[in-house]
Amino acid sequence: MLRFCFVLIILFLLTSCDLKIFNADEAEVKVVAEKKNEILNLSSDPEKGKAVYNANCIPCHNYEPQKPGSIGPQIYGSSKELLSNKINLGKYPKNYKPKRSTKIMPLLPHLNQQLSNLHAFLNARSD
Ligand code: HEC
């Protein structure tokens, strides 16, 4: 009987250890995922921004953001605040005078994490 109890205790200890390891892994995965997001948010790579711009903005804005596009205005030099407002909310920062009075541009909130890259591209000096 004593031996049986001993085995039970060992088994119990082993399973609880396992659980702890599992939880630690899960927490670690979460931290790594959060860090990745942070890096995405903090990076400001104009080359990445250009790729995002070409894939999402040039149907309406010009390939060269300094020039007006087929539907949208020139957006070279846009501030982060303006980009964030336009992409996420379809609005403009307070006291900002919009270049066009239309409300055609769709919301593109999935691009929010590319905002720094877009901003870097739209504010890169072209020389
Ligand atoms: C379907 C067409 C379309 C797409 C796609 C589009 N835009 Fe626009 N955008 C417009 C139009 C049209 C305006 C003028 C205001 C309005 O009608 O919403 C505008 C206005 C803007 C403005 C405000 C300009 C100002 O100073 O008044 C910014 C900034 C902007 N767009 C950024 C972007 C970015 C960045 C992308 C890509 C991620 C993008 N837009 C994709 C059509 C588009």
Side-chain angles (χ1 to χ4, degrees), residues 53 56-64 67-75 86 92 98-106:
Y53 183 80
N56 297 281
C57 314
I58 58 169
C60 307
H61 295 278
N62 198 301
Y63 180 74
E64 293 175 55
K67 299 176 182 169
S70 54
I71 308 175
Q74 70 277 22
I75 52 174
K86 216 42 193 140
Y92 293 91
K99 295 196 182 88
R100 306 257 172 101
S101 56
T102 49
K103 288 199 166 86
I104 299 170
M105 183 170 145

Side-chain angles (χ1 to χ4, degrees), residues 86-118:
K86 216 42 193 140
I87 285 172
N88 294 308
L89 309 165
K91 293 182 177 166
Y92 293 91
K94 231 179 172 187
N95 299 328
Y96 184 83
K97 198 172 171 292
K99 295 196 182 88
R100 306 257 172 101
S101 56
T102 49
K103 288 199 166 86
I104 299 170
M105 183 170 145
L107 295 184
L108 302 160
H110 60 288
L111 296 178
N112 189 41
Q113 59 178 355
Q114 293 290 342
L115 213 112
S116 295
N117 292 334
L118 267 172

Side-chain angles (χ1 to χ4, degrees), residues 3 5 9 17-18 23 27 32 36 41-42 44 65-67 70 80 82 86-87 90-92 103 108 111 114 119:
R3 200 186 269 173
C5 280
I9 288 168
C17 275
D18 263 16
N23 283 341
V32 170
K36 252 192 192 161
N41 279 329
L42 292 178
S44 51
Q66 291 90 343
K67 299 176 182 169
S70 54
K80 266 190 191 165
L82 172 62
K86 216 42 193 140
I87 285 172
K91 293 182 177 166
Y92 293 91
K103 288 199 166 86
L108 302 160
L111 296 178
Q114 293 290 342
H119 177 257

